[in-house]
Amino acid sequence: LAGPPAAAGQASCSGTIAGAGANCNCSLCTAAMASLCCAYSGIPATLLAFEEDDLWIPRLEEFNGCTGAKVTLTYTPNGEDGMQAALESDVGVKYNTGDGARFVEEGAGIYDSYIVQAPWMPAIEDGLEDLRERIAAPGNSVNWLDINPQSRQIMSYNGSVRALPLDVDYIAVGYREDVFQRHGKEPPKTMEELVALSEFFSGKDHNNDGVPDWGFCLTPQPNYFYAFVTPIMQRYTQECASVGHPPVCSGDYTGQNAFFDVKTFEPFLDNPGFRYAVDLHRRFLRSSNCPDQVAAGERCHRKPAMQAGRCAGVISMPGTMTRMLKPWDAGGSWAPQPRYASDGVTVQWQVQNASDGTYWGRRTKFPGSAKVYANGVLQDCTKSLCPKASEQDSQGTLINYAPFFAEGGEAYAMRAGSPARKKDLMFSMFQWLASLPHYMVPLSGVYRESQLTDQAQQNLIDSGWPQQMAIDLHQMLKFYFKDPGDEGGNCAQDLLILGFSEYMNKFNERIYRDLLLQTTILDGTISEKDFETLYRESISNLLTDYEVINNKYGLVPQLQRWRGSLGLPTLSKTELCETFAKFSQANSEALLRSGVDCSPPAGSDDNSDYVLIALIVLGSLFGGAVLFGALYWLYRTVKTNRRLRAEEAALVDSQVEEAKQTVREIQAPMVLMKAVDFQSLGKPVPHETARNQGKLHFLDTMGDEMMEFMKQFTVVFFSHQWLAWEEPDPTCVQYQVMVKAVDDIVTHEGISIDHVYVWYDWFSIPQACSKVQRLTINSLPNFASVCAFFVVVAPDAKHFNTGRDANLETYHSRCWCRAEVMSHWAKKGSDKMFYATAEGLQLMAPGGVNQQFMNSLKVFQGHLTCCDRKHPDGSPCDREALMSPMLGLYSHIRNFCNDPHVKGIYDAIEPFTDEIFPSSFTYVHPSGTCQRNLFGDLIAATNAKTGKGKAKMAARFRPGTTQANHTGAIHSQTGVHTMGAAKGGSSSASEFSFAAEAGATSEGQEQDEEEPSRVLV
């Protein structure tokens, strides 16, 4: 499908440039392609696809004609069924196995780019180009954040983006308005109502041929079954700080899903929630097209069933759904077809619009469930169990929706090993395609939020869609595309890990072939006792099948892959030993095979076997069973205590080592702006705006790259309080002070402003992408510690929303502000720590470190909004999230305490160690307060490990808190550190800022009613 070659000797006409054997004609370049005219003249590139689409021909002609490129398209011979094998053959396969080995199968490397689906990607992930830098590059037209949140999540793997979505797949419900109106029925809200409607419509005549027809139609396959499971199993994907209205659900990801436990990798198969889904689906199948089709020896298939006009409704994926609902003579190839008389001309029946004139083909979101599986039992959905629920069923019970995004849809990907120029070419083409209306793009559907505007809806109507059909699609997708933090935003993800097709094939065999599609079940002749026996056998076989697949790819690696796919951090060794290994013997053995040994450390020999022998001898000598029993109890107690002490010692050691690591690396790039650009802004701008303007500089690691940069340039870290809920400095009172501070630093240091860079949270921390945002916040102590200047910006001001004072006093009262101060001082000292004022810079400690300055270093005595909110649902306190990075700072100070530059810092904190690093803290909960472990004995353990303390590591130390996320991710259940985009496109800020701080209440007081439940900090 490459553009036609230039004729030999043909003269170039106006606007045409011949080169490298290819023509490029700038008159073919649309406005979106203006910069690409002749940009890739003569460069060939290849694209491998699996599904044919006639739209490829005009699109490739336009792109090749404008750019001069020679992009060619190849289809796999076996279509979608052969694409995964083709990808693995060309890209190569690499993954870690369960025994710690590395499986590597090199690819042929023939093609440069591919059309992929998410389930195929885990095996080839390492061979695909990471698109993050291209997506983030200034001037690109991908507009990543315009893509619906679920598609963005689906195409992201372990922090990378390996494919660019061009479509989205999900399960929805279609129904015939003419049939529903004829019988006075409304579309279903719950799965219970869906099944009841299907049973009601089954046996009624829907096409006027006198033959009883069916309820809802389907093609039995795992993705349609799981549409019934997710509303029962997945109640919310992000932690919710409140059960108010609307709920605050923008905290850490919970890992709720329909497939596997994210701590033990236990399959979610043998539980009351899954059984409830089986019972509903069993009834649904009996009232569908399947009994008659299977009895006739046919495949149970929704397409011909709908085409024959025999379905009252259907469940399907979006592309097929559209072809079943559009007019039969306007692209509705699977819509009900007219029935003709024997003469082939006379129409005996055809589908009609409803009696009130409404178009017959309707679409709506997949129903929710009034019952959910929680805490081991099936129970009614309540606001606390289902914080995303807003609608109610006919009995007044809340409904939990969890739309299932099966497989994920198609996407563009590039081979990492392809030549750079070819990757540039293909990404340019993908960007251009992303800018076009979806109906002009091959294989594409509605997958962007910008495609849900009124104009986009009118474009659908103008292209031939019935008006009601276009309205239905947009209404449904506005619900499906909600952010996970919004009310109703609870979309469910497919099982996107290695072996996806193997898991699904076994599921199809055991649940459909061996169980639900059995003739006696479809016709209702099986007894409940026999059904129970068959059900237990199918579940047992499926669990065995899953065990085989897990062993093939490695149980531990599969658990970590599943967590990464869901946006959860990798489990640490401690967490694996504490939870995963203790779940079952198989898990414990799998962990050992993977190279993780949870046994007690060397030196803690267990002599309990000798004790047992002695007890037996004593028992026999005294001949007393009672004595033997008492002595055996003592033996078991000693043995258990030794094991617990060994585990405790391993945990302490792990916590000390992890803390050291937190100050050696960053979890997200450090983002800076040139001071001259900062001063020219006129007012602060958010990260995304500054990035799109090309004003940001990224430092990816704390290694040589960052250190070399810090030597060449002067970096200023601005620490401040937010003065509004939606933006940090609405009146620019702080901005003016910061601009002056830059000038003062330039003058004081005698340097050029061109050598000065600025770190400022509003543009240095991503505001729209919550995952990257959390990783960036995790690295805040490191950012503050490496900058040359630390400048506190706290002029006297009023909070825009609350009217409360914001000044130095409120700044220093905040836990996170103190953490930043501590982070910089612990690494750099106080020589270049300043307060920025309207009059100029003032040293924070002009006479050296004094008591007032030391008070500001007592991080854990600072104020936190999560404590004001009393940690609903027992969520960890943010003090617990800060424990590890602060311990890491102490470890750094202790390790270098004899260094002249560090000794003064160590000497200053030594008298206040217990106050700066408290062993415990007062935890506030709805019923009162209690003492909770914080640092435990980790300070003493750190001293022992560095060899500078009197204690030895063999001594017994209490571990620190294990409540916070071990990766150091800031816990956001209370909404305190969440910076995800708020409604209307605005964003909240982090705790170290001020929105919640100025709006937060003092200890023991109720929160202001004016402050939104989505607490911004």
Side-chain angles (χ1 to χ4, degrees), residues 940-992:
T942 300
N943 291 337
K945 205 167 179 63
T946 58
K948 295 180 173 61
K950 296 180 180 179
K952 303 298 180 185
M953 268 316 273
R956 183 176 182 182
F957 298 117
R958 290 179 299 120
T961 178
T962 58
Q963 294 298 314
N965 189 316
H966 281 274
T967 64
I970 294 176
H971 197 286
S972 308
Q973 179 169 348
T974 59
V976 169
H977 301 132
T978 301
M979 294 167 38
K983 294 178 181 178
S986 58
S987 302
S988 53
S990 68
E991 164 69 8
F992 66 86

XYZ file of all heavy atoms in Angstrom, residues 940-992:
366
model
N 18.284 2.566 66.659
C 19.323 1.763 67.308
C 19.859 0.699 66.360
O 21.068 0.421 66.326
C 18.764 1.111 68.577
N 18.980 0.097 65.568
C 19.416 -0.913 64.602
C 20.320 -0.308 63.548
O 21.304 -0.923 63.120
C 18.196 -1.567 63.957
N 19.987 0.895 63.105
C 20.830 1.587 62.118
C 22.197 1.886 62.711
O 23.235 1.713 62.049
C 20.154 2.892 61.671
O 18.895 2.584 61.091
C 21.016 3.625 60.660
N 22.229 2.341 63.967
C 23.503 2.599 64.627
C 24.342 1.326 64.702
O 25.553 1.338 64.454
C 23.267 3.130 66.041
C 22.678 4.524 66.031
O 22.812 5.261 65.058
N 22.018 4.899 67.123
N 23.686 0.219 65.045
C 24.404 -1.044 65.154
C 24.933 -1.497 63.800
O 26.045 -2.011 63.689
C 23.481 -2.112 65.746
N 24.141 -1.287 62.762
C 24.516 -1.752 61.427
C 25.687 -0.959 60.867
O 26.480 -1.469 60.083
C 23.308 -1.658 60.496
C 23.368 -2.620 59.319
C 22.032 -2.699 58.647
C 22.080 -3.646 57.452
N 22.383 -5.032 57.843
N 25.773 0.335 61.268
C 26.901 1.159 60.798
C 28.134 0.958 61.663
O 29.193 1.512 61.359
C 26.525 2.655 60.828
O 26.146 3.023 62.153
C 25.399 2.939 59.867
N 27.972 0.195 62.775
C 29.115 -0.091 63.624
C 29.484 1.034 64.548
O 30.541 1.037 65.157
N 28.628 2.058 64.669
C 28.953 3.225 65.476
C 28.160 3.276 66.773
O 28.295 4.191 67.564
C 28.723 4.495 64.671
C 29.664 4.609 63.478
C 29.401 5.874 62.714
C 30.441 6.092 61.632
N 30.465 5.050 60.641
N 27.285 2.309 66.967
C 26.511 2.285 68.199
C 27.038 1.223 69.136
O 27.825 0.350 68.750
N 26.626 1.288 70.378
C 27.085 0.304 71.354
C 26.434 -1.046 71.116
O 26.985 -2.085 71.412
C 26.769 0.802 72.769
C 27.524 2.075 73.144
C 27.162 2.497 74.547
C 27.909 3.777 74.932
N 27.548 4.231 76.301
N 25.208 -1.008 70.555
C 24.493 -2.267 70.325
C 25.086 -3.008 69.149
O 25.772 -2.451 68.305
C 23.014 -1.986 70.075
N 24.829 -4.276 69.092
C 25.242 -5.106 67.972
C 23.989 -5.582 67.244
O 22.916 -5.663 67.808
C 26.057 -6.314 68.459
C 27.290 -5.922 69.268
C 28.272 -5.111 68.443
C 29.504 -4.734 69.254
N 30.406 -3.849 68.503
N 24.147 -5.936 65.944
C 22.976 -6.350 65.169
C 22.370 -7.644 65.704
O 21.253 -7.984 65.399
C 23.334 -6.525 63.696
C 23.127 -5.286 62.840
S 21.583 -4.400 63.122
C 20.466 -5.246 62.041
N 23.130 -8.382 66.497
C 22.571 -9.610 67.059
C 21.540 -9.317 68.133
O 20.752 -10.169 68.504
C 23.687 -10.469 67.638
N 21.557 -8.074 68.640
C 20.581 -7.708 69.660
C 19.178 -7.693 69.070
O 18.995 -7.608 67.859
C 20.916 -6.341 70.243
N 18.187 -7.760 69.945
C 16.808 -7.772 69.475
C 16.285 -6.352 69.343
O 16.288 -5.585 70.301
C 15.926 -8.565 70.441
C 14.488 -8.680 69.957
C 13.659 -9.542 70.880
N 12.318 -9.680 70.368
C 11.358 -10.365 71.007
N 11.626 -10.955 72.167
N 10.163 -10.462 70.487
N 15.855 -5.987 68.139
C 15.298 -4.664 67.879
C 13.859 -4.816 67.393
O 13.556 -5.725 66.623
C 16.112 -3.929 66.811
C 17.545 -3.685 67.202
C 18.575 -4.249 66.482
C 17.843 -2.886 68.290
C 19.892 -4.020 66.834
C 19.147 -2.656 68.657
C 20.189 -3.229 67.931
N 13.017 -3.897 67.840
C 11.645 -3.870 67.344
C 11.612 -3.226 65.971
O 12.247 -2.192 65.751
C 10.741 -3.076 68.293
C 10.465 -3.746 69.620
C 9.578 -2.884 70.498
N 10.203 -1.607 70.798
C 9.691 -0.429 70.467
N 8.536 -0.357 69.818
N 10.318 0.694 70.778
N 10.888 -3.807 65.017
C 10.799 -3.177 63.690
C 9.973 -1.897 63.743
O 9.261 -1.631 64.718
C 10.093 -4.244 62.836
C 9.322 -5.066 63.821
C 10.123 -5.060 65.098
N 10.074 -1.114 62.678
C 9.240 0.074 62.547
C 7.888 -0.290 61.964
O 7.558 -1.463 61.762
N 7.102 0.717 61.676
C 5.761 0.490 61.160
C 5.792 -0.272 59.854
O 6.667 -0.065 59.011
C 5.015 1.821 60.959
O 3.724 1.554 60.408
C 5.757 2.747 60.017
N 4.842 -1.154 59.694
C 4.662 -1.857 58.416
C 3.343 -1.472 57.782
O 2.903 -2.092 56.821
C 4.679 -3.385 58.625
O 3.633 -3.740 59.543
C 6.004 -3.845 59.188
N 2.704 -0.418 58.307
C 1.393 -0.015 57.807
C 1.497 0.710 56.479
O 0.618 0.619 55.642
C 0.697 0.892 58.823
C 0.355 0.191 60.120
C -0.614 -0.953 59.896
O -1.605 -0.810 59.183
N -0.331 -2.088 60.491
N 2.550 1.491 56.293
C 2.674 2.276 55.060
C 3.120 1.380 53.934
O 3.671 0.311 54.117
C 3.673 3.417 55.252
N 2.893 1.855 52.711
C 3.297 1.143 51.512
C 4.807 0.976 51.506
O 5.540 1.922 51.688
C 2.845 1.962 50.291
C 3.026 1.188 49.009
O 4.034 0.548 48.795
N 2.023 1.275 48.161
N 5.294 -0.236 51.288
C 6.728 -0.481 51.381
C 7.525 0.206 50.288
O 8.734 0.336 50.400
C 7.011 -1.987 51.360
C 6.768 -2.645 52.664
N 7.704 -2.714 53.664
C 5.651 -3.234 53.175
C 7.212 -3.348 54.714
N 5.966 -3.679 54.436
N 6.865 0.599 49.223
C 7.588 1.318 48.187
C 7.765 2.775 48.545
O 8.394 3.521 47.826
C 6.830 1.256 46.849
O 5.580 1.924 47.012
C 6.614 -0.157 46.401
N 7.183 3.191 49.643
C 7.271 4.598 50.019
C 6.193 5.428 49.388
O 6.188 6.637 49.511
N 5.250 4.800 48.695
C 4.174 5.571 48.071
C 3.346 6.247 49.136
O 3.024 5.660 50.148
C 3.290 4.650 47.234
N 3.009 7.483 48.907
C 2.264 8.236 49.911
C 0.835 7.747 49.955
O 0.153 7.667 48.947
C 2.331 9.729 49.603
C 3.789 10.167 49.763
C 1.434 10.532 50.490
C 4.031 11.579 49.406
N 0.413 7.401 51.123
C -0.926 6.831 51.284
C -1.969 7.919 51.152
O -1.901 8.929 51.808
C -1.025 6.158 52.649
C -2.165 5.225 52.731
N -3.461 5.651 52.837
C -2.216 3.875 52.690
C -4.259 4.597 52.893
N -3.525 3.524 52.802
N -2.936 7.699 50.285
C -3.869 8.769 49.952
C -5.306 8.419 50.234
O -6.207 8.978 49.651
C -3.730 9.127 48.475
O -2.411 9.390 48.148
N -5.547 7.467 51.086
C -6.942 7.098 51.334
C -7.728 8.291 51.852
O -8.906 8.443 51.582
C -7.012 5.941 52.327
C -8.456 5.536 52.626
C -8.506 4.247 53.373
O -7.537 3.550 53.494
N -9.660 3.904 53.868
N -7.049 9.146 52.606
C -7.740 10.308 53.141
C -7.857 11.417 52.120
O -8.455 12.447 52.390
C -6.981 10.851 54.349
O -5.662 11.201 53.919
C -6.903 9.838 55.454
N -7.281 11.231 50.963
C -7.274 12.294 49.966
C -6.151 13.276 50.183
O -6.004 14.226 49.447
N -5.312 13.028 51.178
C -4.371 14.066 51.590
C -3.271 14.317 50.586
O -2.909 15.437 50.344
C -3.772 13.705 52.961
C -2.619 14.615 53.291
C -4.839 13.855 54.016
N -2.718 13.278 49.975
C -1.606 13.541 49.083
C -1.957 13.304 47.634
O -1.102 13.225 46.789
C -0.402 12.670 49.457
C 0.033 12.906 50.845
N 0.280 11.903 51.719
C 0.222 14.057 51.526
C 0.620 12.401 52.885
N 0.595 13.703 52.792
N -3.204 13.137 47.350
C -3.607 12.856 45.989
C -3.626 14.117 45.167
O -4.152 15.118 45.574
C -5.002 12.226 45.978
O -4.924 11.038 46.743
C -5.449 11.903 44.589
N -3.040 14.054 43.990
C -2.966 15.216 43.147
C -3.588 14.937 41.789
O -3.271 15.548 40.796
C -1.505 15.650 42.979
C -0.940 16.129 44.296
S 0.819 16.325 44.330
C 1.175 16.961 42.756
N -4.465 13.940 41.708
C -5.117 13.616 40.454
C -5.998 14.753 39.997
O -6.446 15.570 40.772
N -6.240 14.794 38.697
C -7.013 15.898 38.147
C -8.391 15.960 38.754
O -9.083 14.979 38.892
C -7.119 15.724 36.637
N -8.784 17.136 39.140
C -10.121 17.338 39.681
C -11.088 17.593 38.543
O -10.712 17.745 37.402
C -10.106 18.518 40.646
N -12.368 17.630 38.880
C -13.361 17.865 37.841
C -13.145 19.237 37.220
O -12.796 20.189 37.872
C -14.765 17.774 38.433
C -15.105 16.369 38.925
C -16.473 16.301 39.545
C -16.781 14.903 40.042
N -18.079 14.805 40.697
N -13.378 19.273 35.925
C -13.179 20.527 35.224
C -11.750 20.733 34.787
O -11.387 21.767 34.275
N -10.915 19.706 34.975
C -9.554 19.775 34.497
C -8.568 20.348 35.481
O -7.383 20.360 35.241
N -9.013 20.832 36.603
C -8.077 21.367 37.580
C -7.515 20.238 38.407
O -7.997 19.139 38.405
C -8.787 22.385 38.478
O -9.880 21.792 39.119
N -6.452 20.533 39.146
C -5.783 19.487 39.904
C -5.583 19.902 41.329
O -5.445 21.064 41.642
C -4.425 19.171 39.272
O -4.596 18.780 37.943
N -5.546 18.910 42.184
C -5.223 19.176 43.569
C -3.720 19.135 43.731
O -2.997 18.907 42.806
C -5.896 18.134 44.455
O -5.573 16.855 44.032
N -3.258 19.319 44.956
C -1.828 19.381 45.172
C -1.410 18.455 46.270
O -2.198 17.801 46.890
C -1.449 20.806 45.524
N -0.125 18.427 46.562
C 0.389 17.498 47.549
C 0.358 18.083 48.940
O 0.209 19.269 49.124
C 1.821 17.125 47.179
O 2.640 18.243 47.340
N 0.559 17.192 49.928
C 0.452 17.593 51.329
C 1.432 18.694 51.695
O 1.162 19.533 52.525
C 0.674 16.360 52.208
C 0.982 16.616 53.670
C -0.185 17.177 54.436
O -1.287 17.241 53.901
O 0.020 17.563 55.579
N 2.613 18.677 51.024
C 3.593 19.687 51.395
C 3.118 21.065 50.983
O 3.664 22.070 51.381
C 4.948 19.392 50.727
C 4.912 19.507 49.238
C 5.107 20.723 48.625
C 4.678 18.392 48.458
C 5.072 20.818 47.259
C 4.642 18.507 47.094
C 4.843 19.709 46.482
